[in-house]
Amino acid sequence: MSDKAPKVTLRTLAAEAGVSPATVMRALNNHPNVTQGIRRKVIALAMKRNYQLPEHYAKLIAVIVPDGSSFDGYTGQLLNALSQEFLARKLQFEVIVGRNIETVHEHAYSGVISTIWETGLEKQWPEEHTLPLVVLNAASNILGGIYQVTSDEKQGITMGLEYLLQHGRRRIAFVSTPLHDNPNARERVNAFNEFCRANHLFPDSFHEEHTIDNPLERIARTVIEKKADAIFASSETYGFEILHYLRRSDIRIPQDIAMLTLELPRFSPFTSPPLTTIGQDFKSLAFHAVETLLCRIKNKPCKQKISVPYLFFERESI
């Protein structure tokens, strides 16, 4: 006698839910002719039984973004790259704000990609959800089945610092995003500290964390007071505001202070002077995130962590 559990099919799911197979199909495909109550019942049962529609039906992906996301910087670039990847693969996607994450229970998503960089989701998800999840530039949980695609922070930061050092800059101010619950930001600072120790750049080089109590205008003043000869701003948007404050203080770029920032292609080439940058390879990040998620959906083997190297854009600010 076999102990193997009976296969869950569209018909067995429909019988258990007390509706027709056609209704189950419509509910899982988010068809408008199904009531919200029936849809929730069918989706909850499908998740409980770990049932997914056959591959040729499974084409809706959820993309979770942080609360309060600004779409003119990092998040916008990432979503644009993901949308192009989904389009190329003929997949549909919907964007969900982090605070509304429970709405994944109301639609028949095949899988989820999260761009929330704060820690916590990687622990919460396996306890409350069965959908495959891939995290982008965020903490993973391999034991919980949550795989990770991330930019190679150490490689990118080291590449930028080496370029500054090659150009004779040894008093480097490294400006980071807030470190609280942000593992990628901490990785960048760790890479900066490691490089400075190895090249004997301390104490002339230093780290400034951008917080509510330490705004960019104050950081710019600190950089001037400490006589830094270079700024490395590890955010796609910080460089423009810092550049404004430095120019207002009659600081010449790059004669007095060199500037290296993260790439924002709509603006970085058009500042005065154009900014030298390192850039996250958003196209590759999107490709690997979607590829990994599809492998998870199909229960195929794939890498648990993929690191994507940064790109370098040499311009006139160094």
Side-chain angles (χ1 to χ4, degrees), residues 266-280:
R266 289 186 299 139
F267 301 111
S268 299
F270 308 110
T271 58
S272 180
L275 291 171
T276 296
T277 63
I278 64 169
Q280 299 192 64

Side-chain angles (χ1 to χ4, degrees), residues 169 227-230 249-258:
R169 309 293 174 150
K227 296 181 170 54
D229 60 18
S249 297
D250 296 324
I251 299 297
R252 299 171 302 167
I253 309 296
Q255 294 90 334
D256 300 324
I257 297 178

Side-chain angles (χ1 to χ4, degrees), residues 219-239:
I219 290 173
R221 290 199 304 268
T222 301
V223 167
I224 296 171
E225 291 168 1
K226 290 188 175 182
K227 296 181 170 54
D229 60 18
I231 293 176
F232 191 163
S234 63
S235 166
E236 283 81 6
T237 57
Y238 285 3

Side-chain angles (χ1 to χ4, degrees), residues 234-248:
S234 63
S235 166
E236 283 81 6
T237 57
Y238 285 3
F240 313 112
E241 188 173 340
I242 293 173
L243 179 61
H244 166 73
Y245 294 131
L246 294 178
R247 294 293 292 272
R248 199 168 66 180

Side-chain angles (χ1 to χ4, degrees), residues 33-77:
N33 289 346
V34 179
T35 66
Q36 189 74 340
I38 292 294
R39 189 190 324 281
R40 288 179 175 175
K41 180 180 179 180
V42 169
I43 291 174
L45 185 59
M47 293 180 68
K48 181 179 179 180
R49 297 288 181 256
N50 199 26
Y51 174 82
Q52 291 183 342
L53 284 170
E55 182 182 332
H56 59 283
Y57 290 112
K59 293 187 176 181
L60 182 61
I61 308 297
V63 178
I64 304 173
V65 299
D67 294 342
S69 290
S70 172
F71 295 101
D72 59 357
Y74 164 79
T75 302
Q77 290 184 87

